[in-house]
Amino acid sequence: MLAFLLAAAAATAQTVPTDYQAGHFYATPRTADGQALRLLVDTGGGGAAGMYWITAKAAERLRLATSPCEADASLHVVPAPTFAAGQSLPPPDGPCGASVMVNKLPYDLDGQLGAAYLGTRTWTFDYPARRLIAAGEGWKPAAGAHSAPLGFRRSTGPGLDLYFPRIVARIDGQPIDFLLDTGATAHPTAAGKQASGTETVHGEGVTSYITTGQLERWHAAHPDWRVIENGDDLGGPGHPSRLIEVPALAIAGWRVGPVWFTERPDSAFHQYMAQMMDRPTEGALGGNVFRSFRMTLDYPKATAWFVCVRDCQAARPSEPQRSPGR
C-alpha cells in the first residue's frame, strides 16, 4: 500500500502549502486534526543526514511515538503526520522509509524539509510567484528555460546517496563550485542592511555565502568591489562576518547582479560540507540569486532549470551557456 501511495504522489504535481518570507520558503501543512506545522525548505540543510525532520517538541505536540530508524539506529524517527486534504506534503521516501527524523536540539521552527527528502523528486521554487510545487513525473521544462547540471555525492550502498546539490556559477570570468542552498540565511547588522538592502523579518533574510579565501582573492583583484566589515552577525555579536558585493554572476546562461555574499570560514565548505558533496565548494548560492527565477530542481536527472522572470538577462558569450528548454 505504501509503495502505491508513493507512486501515486510522484505521478501528480502538488502545490505545497507555503509561506514565503524574506526570501525563504516555509512549508505550512496542516494535520487532519487541525495542527499547523512550519518547516523551512532547505536544499542545503536537514543535518548531516539531510532528512525531513521535526523537533522533539513538535513530535510531542502531534502525539507521534518515537522509534529508531531501521537503516540507522542512531537516528530517532516518528511516523509522518497525517495531513488534511489539500494541506499535505509528499510522503518521505528515504533511508528511514516514510518516517520523519526527530531533532532534539532547540529550534525556532517546527522543523525542516532537508536535502535527502527533497532529493527523490522534482521541485519548482517559483520565487516571483512565491510558490513551491512538487512536480509530477510528466514535468517538462518550459520554453526558454536554461539548464545547469547538478553534482551529488553518490554511493554504492543502499540509502547512502546524499542530495546536497552542487552547481557552477561564473564570477569574474571564473567558474566556481557552490552549494545550491535555498536556506542560506542572513542576519545583517545595521551597516550590512544599509549597504545591501536585504529584506528581513525578525532580523533574518537570505544571502549567498563565500569562503574567506575566495573573498580575499576577489578583494585583492578588485579593491573597488564593496566590502562591509561587520556586515552580518548570524553567528552572534561576537562573531561578525564581512559582506562583499559582486557586480555580476552567471548561472545556467543567465546573468544577475549585483549579488552580496556573506563570509564563511574556509573549513565550513572545504571540510564540513565537502564530506557530504561530490567535491569541495567555495560557498553557497542562496535566495538573493534565485529570487529572479522560477527554478526547478530535477533531482532524479541531476539538473536544475531556470526561467528568467525578472532582473536577469542572457549571459554574455564569454559566460557559460546551457541548453535551452524545448
Side-chain angles (χ1 to χ4, degrees), residues 17-135:
T18 304
D19 180 25
Y20 180 89
Q21 192 175 80
H24 284 125
F25 286 86
Y26 299 91
T28 55
R30 189 172 292 274
T31 64
D33 61 357
Q35 299 246 26
L37 286 173
R38 187 173 178 83
L39 310 168
L40 176 65
V41 185
D42 189 355
T43 59
M51 293 179 66
Y52 164 10
W53 60 263
I54 61 176
T55 63
K57 184 177 180 180
E60 182 179 358
R61 174 164 59 87
L62 298 178
R63 299 180 181 178
L64 298 173
T66 304
S67 62
C69 168
E70 290 186 8
D72 184 345
S74 68
L75 300 176
H76 290 84
V77 298
V78 294
T82 302
F83 294 108
Q87 290 289 311
S88 65
L89 296 173
D93 181 22
C96 296
S99 298
V100 176
M101 190 175 79
V102 177
N103 189 337
K104 296 183 179 181
L105 297 176
Y107 193 61
D108 292 337
L109 303 172
D110 292 314
Q112 282 189 11
L113 302 182
Y117 169 76
L118 299 169
T120 59
R121 295 181 174 85
T122 298
W123 300 83
T124 295
F125 292 79
D126 190 337
Y127 278 84
R130 303 184 173 191
R131 291 187 306 166
L132 176 65
I133 300 169

Side-chain angles (χ1 to χ4, degrees), residues 187 189 232-241:
H187 192 276
T189 62
D232 188 281
D233 60 3
L234 183 65
H239 300 86
S241 299

Side-chain angles (χ1 to χ4, degrees), residues 32-301:
D33 61 357
Q35 299 246 26
L37 286 173
R38 187 173 178 83
L39 310 168
L40 176 65
V41 185
D42 189 355
T43 59
M51 293 179 66
Y52 164 10
W53 60 263
I54 61 176
T55 63
K57 184 177 180 180
E60 182 179 358
R61 174 164 59 87
L62 298 178
R63 299 180 181 178
L64 298 173
T66 304
S67 62
C69 168
E70 290 186 8
D72 184 345
S74 68
L75 300 176
H76 290 84
V77 298
V78 294
T82 302
F83 294 108
Q87 290 289 311
S88 65
L89 296 173
D93 181 22
C96 296
S99 298
V100 176
M101 190 175 79
V102 177
N103 189 337
K104 296 183 179 181
L105 297 176
Y107 193 61
D108 292 337
L109 303 172
D110 292 314
Q112 282 189 11
L113 302 182
Y117 169 76
L118 299 169
T120 59
R121 295 181 174 85
T122 298
W123 300 83
T124 295
F125 292 79
D126 190 337
Y127 278 84
R130 303 184 173 191
R131 291 187 306 166
L132 176 65
I133 300 169
E137 288 181 352
W139 180 87
K140 294 184 182 302
H146 292 187
S147 70
L150 299 175
F152 299 104
R153 200 197 82 177
R154 301 299 191 188
S155 173
T156 57
L160 296 179
D161 284 351
L162 294 178
Y163 293 96
F164 295 98
R166 178 184 55 80
I167 193 166
V168 177
R170 187 173 289 266
I171 299 172
D172 194 27
Q174 299 298 316
I176 301 176
D177 290 305
F178 289 99
L179 169 67
L180 192 158
D181 188 2
T182 60
T185 300
H187 192 276
T189 62
K193 189 169 185 178
Q194 181 178 7
S196 66
T198 299
E199 177 189 2
T200 61
V201 174
H202 305 306
E204 291 190 352
V206 292
T207 188
S208 294
Y209 297 139
I210 198 67
T211 58
T212 296
Q214 185 61 58
L215 187 153
E216 294 287 3
R217 288 189 289 274
W218 283 342
H219 190 38
H222 300 281
D224 56 318
W225 289 8
R226 286 195 290 172
V227 173
I228 309 300
E229 301 288 341
N230 302 328
D232 188 281
D233 60 3
L234 183 65
H239 300 86
S241 299
R242 292 177 291 178
L243 307 181
I244 187 168
E245 185 185 39
V246 169
L249 174 153
I251 184 170
W254 297 113
R255 185 174 185 268
V256 296
V259 176
W260 285 92
F261 284 82
T262 302
E263 180 182 16
R264 286 291 178 265
D266 287 11
S267 60
F269 291 96
H270 294 175
Q271 297 174 30
Y272 178 70
M273 283 307 305
Q275 302 172 77
M276 297 172 274
M277 302 186 70
D278 65 332
R279 67 176 65 167
T281 59
E282 287 295 338
L285 299 184
N288 62 335
V289 171
F290 307 138
R291 64 189 176 193
S292 295
F293 300 104
R294 184 164 63 250
M295 176 179 73
T296 297
L297 305 181
D298 186 339
Y299 283 89
K301 295 182 179 178

